Amino acid sequence: MNPQLLFWVPASLRLSIILIFAGVVGYFFGWSIGLATALVLMIALIVVQLNYLYLLSAWLDHPDSEKLPDGWGAWTDIFSRLYRLRRDDERNRAELTEWLARFRQAMSLLPDGVVIMDDVLFLEWCNPAAEKHLGLNNGRDKGMRVTNLIRNPDFIDYIILGRYEQPLTLSLKDRKLIVQIIPFENRRQILVTHDATESDRIEMMRRDFIANASHELRTPLTVINGFLEIAQGQPNLDPDVRMSHLNLMIEQGKRMQNLVEDMLTLTRLESIDYPLRPEHVNIGNLLRQILQEAEALSGGRHTISLTVEGPDIQGSTDELRSAFGNLVSNAVRYTPEGGRIDIKWQDLGHGPQFSVKDSGIGIRAEHIVRLTERFYRVDKSRSRETQGTGLGLAIVKHVLLRHGAVLAIESQPEMGSTFIVKFDNSVVDNDALGLLKNH
Ligand code: ADP
């Protein structure tokens, strides 16, 4: 029904009833009494309306604590509509609070820092990543000027110049940050920070790797080119000299081949497209092969022993051959003639372990932590003399990482070294253990 009618019809009905009632009283008791009755009833009506107005104003002051009465006449409708509005408002507010909480949670999980500032750079809010990157504190620093909180000359210059379309690279508290200011709304700006320390480190590692690899390849290439030029310029060279040149070229070629193979192995080990496919690894067979290769490399200059006491495991035979083989060949290469090398596979209770102990030249403590870095060598010339690429222990590290194993190095200069690979119990091949027991 038309809301206007809905309001006016009952209101006029109520007025008409008062007037009719006053008319009846006037008819029976005289018109002056009738008029007085009408006046009293009208005043009563106005008092009721005023009372409802008062109740409404009190409720508007404290909508949470006061309760609206059911009301009378048009007030019933007004009060119920107000109730409904209030309920909708509460629901909207609850939804908004929930959204805000979700937004805050998302912001706090963001790896990038977000700082919201007003147009004159006073801090309004920042997420935990921004607190970490810039050393801010959301509670303590709120309302303070960001340039007073981040006292870095490059940052201040960036603010002064105001060229916000370009990000700024900032070195702050041992971190490399990429910072950008984005104006939003009319009177607000967002400062976004991205921690580029790790990507920067990886980029530097990549550059170092390429520089090192090129350097490593350049030396043998220069040697080979030199001999080839001699061969070209002096066709009648003494056959013995020519033979020694050829031998040197073959040696350098082999060096390059080893290097390229090691680089390819490393790349493959690092590739996520090349996941580990565990298989049964017959440790006894594997280590006997490695022992044979070590004896061939040693050429009888060392005493080499092998002890196999631990269980077989699950893993990649090829990768483990490469890792164990590298450790054993290092022991041979860095142990002078007459030295001793003990290769052991044992289970000492907390998981199987592989160890190679040599009586070689040993390593000073400051080098030990860096040995698994690519191309890191304690003595470059010695490594090259023995066909080392400087990538052996980096390969070992990656293979062990893929097998959940860790490498421990115990060494002292002139006292020999022990390289220990500790595996977790979970790699033990229980099926193979069962087979062994049944036989
Ligand atoms: P390389 O091909 O030069 O041997 P590795 O990565 O295998 O490269 O080893 C890195 C360096 O660690 C070697 O250059 C050597 O200085 C040192 N090293 C490795 N194994 C031993 C060892 N058993 N005894 C002494 N030094 C070692």
Side-chain angles (χ1 to χ4, degrees):
M1 210 208 253
N2 186 336
Q4 226 172 351
L5 281 180
L6 213 62
F7 178 82
W8 284 113
V9 169
S12 351
L13 217 72
R14 248 170 265 134
L15 279 175
S16 314
I17 289 171
I18 289 174
L19 289 178
I20 290 168
F21 183 71
V24 173
V25 171
Y27 179 76
F28 286 110
F29 303 104
W31 292 110
S32 51
I33 294 184
L35 208 63
T37 308
L39 201 70
V40 168
L41 286 175
M42 289 304 257
I43 288 171
L45 197 65
I46 289 168
V47 168
V48 169
Q49 307 298 331
L50 284 175
N51 181 44
Y52 279 136
L53 263 180
Y54 167 76
L55 288 174
L56 179 61
S57 125
W59 181 79
L60 285 174
D61 281 345
H62 305 285
D64 289 324
S65 51
E66 300 286 329
K67 205 173 160 0
L68 275 176
D70 286 342
W72 178 71
W75 288 105
T76 316
D77 190 37
I78 291 171
F79 287 159
S80 72
R81 269 201 248 170
L82 275 175
Y83 258 136
R84 237 175 296 141
L85 277 177
R86 169 112 185 108
R87 215 182 40 226
D88 290 352
D89 182 48
E90 267 168 9
R91 209 178 35 223
N92 287 344
R93 222 185 300 172
E95 265 173 29
L96 208 68
T97 316
E98 202 186 307
W99 266 104
L100 205 68
R102 254 190 251 165
F103 172 78
R104 288 231 160 132
Q105 199 192 7
M107 281 291 190
S108 63
L109 293 175
L110 220 61
D112 287 347
V114 179
V115 181
I116 298 181
M117 312 170 292
D118 67 10
D119 54 343
V120 277
L121 303 171
F122 284 101
L123 184 116
E124 292 188 349
W125 181 83
C126 67
N127 71 347
E131 292 187 316
K132 200 166 102 188
H133 291 169
L134 303 167
L136 302 176
N137 183 309
N138 209 5
R140 184 193 61 204
D141 300 334
K142 198 172 174 173
M144 287 177 70
R145 217 185 151 92
V146 170
T147 40
N148 290 337
L149 298 167
I150 309 166
R151 304 200 62 87
N152 176 291
D154 292 338
F155 181 69
I156 310 262
D157 285 350
Y158 180 66
I159 299 279
I160 292 170
L161 288 173
R163 293 212 196 102
Y164 296 156
E165 57 292 345
Q166 291 287 334
L168 165 78
T169 306
L170 210 62
S171 290
L172 213 68
K173 296 197 285 164
D174 297 335
R175 275 177 212 274
K176 185 155 193 175
L177 293 179
I178 296 176
V179 172
Q180 189 162 18
I181 290 184
I182 306 161
F184 89 114
E185 290 180 343
N186 253 350
R187 309 183 50 111
R188 278 201 175 77
Q189 333 195 44
I190 306 181
L191 171 75
V192 185
T193 61
H194 174 73
D195 191 346
T197 318
E198 187 56 19
S199 49
D200 207 50
R201 194 183 64 82
I202 291 170
E203 175 60 18
M204 212 160 82
M205 260 173 65
R206 198 184 63 84
R207 273 202 304 261
D208 281 357
F209 183 70
I210 292 174
N212 280 324
S214 321
H215 179 77
E216 294 289 330
L217 285 168
R218 199 172 54 196
T219 320
L221 266 177
T222 315
V223 175
I224 292 173
N225 276 343
F227 286 136
L228 284 175
E229 275 167 21
I230 293 172
Q232 193 188 36
Q234 304 172 30
N236 303 320
L237 206 65
D238 178 61
D240 287 346
V241 177
R242 180 185 297 271
M243 187 49 77
S244 92
H245 284 187
L246 281 175
N247 282 339
L248 283 167
M249 281 199 278
I250 289 172
E251 196 182 290
Q252 295 302 321
K254 221 158 135 195
R255 205 174 127 194
M256 285 199 290
Q257 194 181 357
N258 287 345
L259 193 69
V260 172
E261 270 168 14
D262 276 0
M263 288 198 291
L264 287 174
T265 308
L266 255 184
T267 313
R268 210 182 52 229
L269 288 172
E270 279 182 332
S271 161
I272 42 165
D273 303 330
Y274 185 71
L276 182 76
R277 292 210 179 79
E279 60 192 358
H280 170 76
V281 183
N282 186 325
I283 294 285
N285 281 350
L286 177 66
L287 292 184
R288 274 186 288 277
Q289 274 173 27
I290 288 173
L291 175 70
Q292 271 178 13
E293 285 162 17
E295 278 168 341
L297 184 66
S298 157
R301 291 175 297 127
H302 309 91
T303 312
I304 310 176
S305 77
L306 170 67
T307 313
V308 181
E309 289 170 352
D312 282 355
I313 59 170
Q314 282 279 326
S316 157
T317 309
D318 284 345
E319 289 183 19
L320 291 173
R321 181 183 294 118
S322 162
F324 295 169
N326 258 309
L327 293 174
V328 173
S329 82
N330 277 353
V332 174
R333 287 165 47 229
Y334 297 104
T335 301
E337 193 165 347
R340 205 191 145 75
I341 293 155
D342 297 311
I343 308 166
K344 283 186 184 159
W345 177 256
Q346 296 161 295
D347 193 348
L348 302 176
H350 31 71
Q353 86 171 33
F354 169 81
S355 64
V356 192
K357 184 174 187 316
D358 65 51
S359 59
I361 58 171
I363 310 156
R364 285 215 309 275
E366 70 262 31
H367 295 295
I368 291 182
V369 280
R370 300 195 57 192
L371 286 189
T372 54
E373 285 176 23
R374 294 154 184 210
F375 297 113
Y376 189 84
R377 294 156 164 135
V378 176
D379 178 349
K380 278 200 169 54
S381 56
R382 186 172 189 130
S383 161
R384 290 212 183 96
E385 267 167 33
T386 55
Q387 293 287 337
T389 60
L391 294 174
L393 289 182
I395 292 175
V396 171
K397 182 177 105 177
H398 277 284
V399 170
L400 300 193
L401 207 70
R402 285 159 67 85
H403 285 79
V406 285
L407 177 68
I409 306 171
E410 293 163 3
S411 185
Q412 270 183 28
E414 311 303 329
M415 303 285 286
S417 317
T418 309
F419 285 72
I420 306 163
V421 177
K422 295 177 182 167
F423 289 87
D424 194 79
N425 257 327
S426 59
V427 298
V428 172
D429 195 332
N430 290 316
D431 294 346
L433 267 184
L435 277 177
L436 268 178
K437 277 182 196 145
N438 293 339
H439 278 79

